Amino acid sequence: MSEIKTQLVVLGAGPGGYSAAFRAADLGIEAVIVDARETLGGVCLNVGCIPSKALLHVAKVIDDAKEMAAHGVTFGEPKIDLDKVRGWKDSVVSQLTKGLSGMSKMRKVKHVQGYGKFTGSNTLEVDGPDGKTVITFDNAIIAAGSEPVSLPFIPKDDARVIDSTGALEMADIPGKMLVLGGGIIGLEMGTVYRALGSQIDVVEFLDQLVPAADKDVVKIYQKFIKDKFNVMLETKVTGVEAKKDGLYVTFEGKQAPAEAVRYDKVLVAVGRRPNGKLIDAEKAGVHVDERGFINVDKQLRTNVAHIFAIGDVIGQPMLAHKAVHEGHVAAEVISGMKHYFDPKCIPSVAYTDPEMAWVGITEKEAKEQGLKVESASFPWAASGRAIASGRTEGMTKLIFDKDSHRILGGAIVGINAGEMLGEIGLAIEMGADAEDIALTIHAHPTLNESIGLAAEMYEGSITDLP
Ligand code: FAD
């Protein structure tokens, strides 16, 4: 058994954990980072954001090549070498995890590999491949993340039932796959497998895909993918029976097929559960709620003053960039700064085809909060760049406060929507109003131009000088 004494221990090396440890080290705090994985990067780099985007890149190139036929250029049928596709994805992940390891060494942040659990208010015990390590700390940041939710009525030990991690492994390309859950992760993986040749059904309990997103944006997305995925809304899975020749799934609800449907694989993508209950937090006196979330204040402090928590383990939205910013704040507070986490907005992006991206308030949320808002939209059917790219299905929508005309939210559907969203987020953070955005000269012809044009469409955005 080895022993380490440190100023700061960070439990979990995902985007939240490594950002916190690096910021702390930059501020002169001695930091140790603990993770069960061999590599840094957590879910996001190893089995989340990054490998999924590497595969989505492959899917996009296949789809783009097919689309070119309509513009007079025909390529042959794609030949998929799954080992090489997997190799590409793995090389992207390893490039980034190696980079993190280098940055960690440069900052003298020690990585202890193993599963960590609190044994007291200032001690953590790590069970790793090299035995046990007891870490005594002055401060701790819990960045233990989350794991996929499984459903009790679905066979667990059948390799044909997979979660997002299993889907990213790309063991094969199933002939027919059911994506159970119409959220971002399920749709992204469905996009990948469809491009590689699978037939995809998506089942969603609610009345729209990606329920948190702007409904107009989702409507356009749903229309665009109508012929690509078989989507069953307001429908739920009631059972999955594993037979030799496939998984037989029964459904109930509005669009439920009358008979059980046979699938080669079922991807369960019904959300993620925080890991708060798995770390013996109570031994450190840290309160964890019944779902596994840890409550924190605006400085990311738990109910125990020297223990902080960040990222997926503290709640929605479960997104990497939220975790990163929280990690920075927690480290800064530990170093003595009076910082706190209080963003006006956190962007969300579904890297589907087309992409859906939204930031700030949606009209539904404005209604729930009793806010008076108005919106203005610019359809991409009138965008020169969208037309020249053969992708006119998009739309850019901005949501303004009715009285002040300040921008409160925005949503985009279309190619590159995720890249475009940053401008709207910045406008919200800076308190810009419709006129500021309309008067900002956007380069022509760009898709970003549609943000300025949507603002121009908003009545009252062009005013005279006082
Ligand atoms: P995590 O990244 O979950 O990392 C937690 C780490 O803690 C893990 O490495 C785990 O091994 C370790 N750990 C937990 N408990 C212990 C313990 N007791 N001892 C030792 N180690 C422990 N988000 C985006 O913003 N954009 C995307 O495009 C995106 N795509 C995604 C795609 C997929 C398929 C998935 C699954 C997720 C995606 N996410 C995306 C979500 C994103 O991955 C998470 O929000 C993010 O990783 C959360 O970061 P975190 O620091 O809270 O923890």
Side-chain angles (χ1 to χ4, degrees), residues 11-17 34-37 42-44 47-49 52-53 114-116 143-146 164 168 185 272 275 279 310-312 318-321 323 351:
L11 182 58
V34 174
D35 201 295
R37 289 175 211 277
V43 167
C44 182
V47 288
C49 328
S52 59
K53 300 324 164 274
Y115 202 84
S146 61
S164 59
L168 289 166
I185 293 175
R272 296 183 62 82
N275 288 331
I279 54 170
I310 58 172
D312 284 8
M318 288 189 177
L319 292 170
H321 39 276
Y351 299 87

Side-chain angles (χ1 to χ4, degrees), residues 15 86 264 305 402 422 428:
R86 213 181 292 116
D264 298 299
K402 191 168 185 257
I428 296 172

Side-chain angles (χ1 to χ4, degrees), residues 261-416:
V261 182
R262 195 198 73 81
Y263 293 97
D264 298 299
K265 279 208 166 155
V266 171
L267 164 59
V268 182
V270 290
R272 296 183 62 82
R273 171 180 37 226
N275 288 331
K277 280 190 180 167
L278 311 174
I279 54 170
D280 284 355
E282 67 284 355
K283 292 192 179 155
V286 172
H287 177 70
V288 181
D289 77 14
E290 65 290 348
R291 291 175 303 163
F293 285 116
I294 298 175
N295 273 334
V296 291
D297 64 14
K298 282 196 167 183
Q299 291 195 307
L300 289 318
R301 215 185 279 272
T302 67
N303 59 307
V304 177
H306 64 284
I307 303 184
F308 295 70
I310 58 172
D312 284 8
V313 80
I314 67 167
Q316 301 290 349
M318 288 189 177
L319 292 170
H321 39 276
K322 183 198 76 133
V324 167
H325 281 260
E326 288 170 343
H328 289 159
V329 171
E332 287 154 10
V333 172
I334 289 169
S335 83
M337 293 180 181
K338 293 188 188 73
H339 289 180
Y340 55 98
F341 183 73
D342 190 22
K344 277 197 180 151
C345 57
I346 299 171
S348 295
V349 181
Y351 299 87
T352 44
D353 182 29
E355 292 184 355
M356 288 179 275
W358 64 101
V359 62
I361 208 158
T362 61
E363 278 156 325
K364 188 168 163 248
E365 285 163 348
K367 208 171 175 187
E368 285 161 6
Q369 292 172 28
L371 295 172
K372 278 193 231 147
V373 295
E374 289 175 333
S375 69
S377 302
F378 187 81
W380 288 19
S383 152
R385 189 57 188 270
I387 295 169
S389 306
R391 296 298 301 263
T392 53
E393 74 279 0
M395 186 208 41
T396 301
K397 174 175 171 179
L398 303 177
I399 296 167
F400 298 101
D401 178 86
K402 191 168 185 257
D403 299 325
S404 67
H405 297 182
R406 281 193 183 212
I407 182 160
L408 298 179
I412 307 173
V413 55
I415 51 167
N416 291 322

Side-chain angles (χ1 to χ4, degrees), residues 29 36-37 91 134 165 169 173 217 219 223 237 240 242 270 299 314 331 414 444 450:
I29 299 168
R37 289 175 211 277
S91 72
V134 173
T165 305
E169 276 167 16
I173 302 166
V217 152
K219 217 182 275 169
K223 195 169 156 204
V237 169
V240 177
V270 290
Q299 291 195 307
I314 67 167
H444 176 79
S450 67

